[in-house]
Amino acid sequence: MFISFEGIDGSGKSTQLGLLRTWLEQRGYRIVTVREPGATHLSESIREILLSNKQSITPTAELLLFSAARTHLVETVIRPALERSEVVLCDRFVDSTTAYQGYGRQLDLREVDLCNSLATHGVMPSVTFFIDVPYEEAQLRMQFHASPTEPDRMERSGRDFFERVRDGYLAIAEGDPQRFVIVNGVQDRDRIHAEIVAHMEERLG
Ligand SMILES: Nc1ncnc2c1ncn2[C@@H]1O[C@H](COP(=O)(O)OP(=O)(O)OP(=O)(O)O)[C@@H](O)[C@H]1O
Ligand SMILES: [Mg+2]
């Protein structure tokens, strides 16, 4: 089973992924956790380029770099884990590209889709949890983080960009309601986890 977490920066994806990981482990599932971009040597190197503030990157170059990191991750980690019948938990996947590069950077959505299908070879999550949090709330969470870091290149994109990204996620959800689960992220983390667990119980049967 392949599960991904989506949402704008600071929405609580990694927190919820960690809680679900523990829940699944306690039920005896073998789990592989990956983050995007990253999780392989090559993809972590591409992540450094993408998040660095040292240089600007044109939107199409950004799309192709994210896609290159993803395809390497799919081929070397995600697909093999799924073939071993392990559960893959992914911190961001292909919907991030549709939301950020498609809606956020306003690239042609057909070109983004083409890149996405090339990068995934049809390997898609069966469930995607979208942690929906307004921009201001996500900003606050990142500021009050125990060890705040300087905003990275993507995080510097500003309010209008993140509003478009959020609208993008909602458009994806509308187009794929079977896979996409919208979770209200402005709740206590345990409440959000309980909602996610309820969905998982339904799907696992
Ligand atoms: N439900 C919640 N309520 C309040 N704060 C939260 C909640 N969930 C997570 N946080 C806090 O908000 C911050 C961001 O959470 P987290 O790192 O999980 O988000 P993220 O979506 O993974 O962020 P990024 O996109 O930067 O990786 C952390 O400091 C975390 O402890
Ligand atoms: Mg995170």
Side-chain angles (χ1 to χ4, degrees):
M1 185 183 241
F2 182 11
I3 302 164
S4 63
F5 285 80
E6 294 285 352
I8 62 171
D9 299 68
S11 55
K13 299 177 295 297
S14 304
T15 302
Q16 291 304 322
L17 185 149
L19 292 172
L20 182 62
R21 183 196 171 108
T22 305
W23 187 85
L24 286 164
E25 276 171 348
Q26 284 166 351
R27 277 148 194 83
Y29 289 95
R30 287 173 58 105
I31 319 282
V32 172
T33 304
V34 290
R35 70 166 178 183
E36 272 219 351
T40 69
H41 194 73
L42 173 69
S43 305
E44 288 290 340
S45 303
I46 296 175
R47 178 188 184 92
E48 253 177 60
I49 295 170
L50 277 164
L51 300 186
S52 163
N53 290 307
K54 283 194 206 128
Q55 74 269 313
S56 65
I57 303 178
T58 66
T60 302
E62 184 181 284
L63 169 69
L64 293 170
L65 283 167
F66 274 113
S67 299
R70 174 167 308 125
T71 199
H72 188 72
L73 177 65
V74 167
E75 287 165 7
T76 63
V77 179
I78 297 178
R79 192 165 36 204
L82 295 173
E83 282 168 0
R84 295 192 301 268
S85 300
E86 295 176 0
V87 178
V88 176
L89 298 180
C90 201
D91 200 333
R92 294 193 179 283
F93 196 59
V94 76
D95 303 301
S96 284
T97 295
T98 305
Y100 280 70
Q101 281 68 53
Y103 287 84
R105 302 279 190 235
Q106 298 175 302
L107 289 176
D108 184 329
L109 287 175
R110 284 164 310 178
E111 289 181 3
V112 171
D113 283 347
L114 189 65
C115 262
N116 283 346
S117 54
L118 195 63
T120 58
H121 294 295
V123 175
M124 280 293 285
S126 44
V127 192
T128 297
F129 292 107
F130 168 50
I131 318 289
D132 189 22
V133 162
Y135 174 70
E136 284 76 15
E137 174 67 24
Q139 288 293 109
L140 278 177
R141 287 183 187 180
M142 288 196 288
Q143 277 165 26
F144 289 106
H145 191 278
S147 51
T149 48
E150 280 291 293
D152 64 40
R153 197 184 59 84
M154 295 301 297
E155 287 165 357
R156 284 173 197 262
S157 300
R159 188 207 164 86
D160 290 351
F161 175 81
F162 281 104
E163 298 284 348
R164 288 197 299 275
V165 170
R166 177 166 180 254
D167 290 345
Y169 276 127
L170 294 173
I172 299 167
E174 211 172 306
D176 199 351
Q178 292 283 50
R179 172 171 69 87
F180 229 72
V181 180
I182 302 175
V183 184
N184 174 14
V186 193
Q187 305 183 76
D188 182 68
R189 63 198 75 193
D190 295 331
R191 296 271 307 263
I192 300 171
H193 176 58
E195 269 187 34
I196 289 173
V197 160
H199 275 281
M200 288 306 300
E201 280 174 332
E202 212 173 283
R203 282 175 197 253
L204 293 168

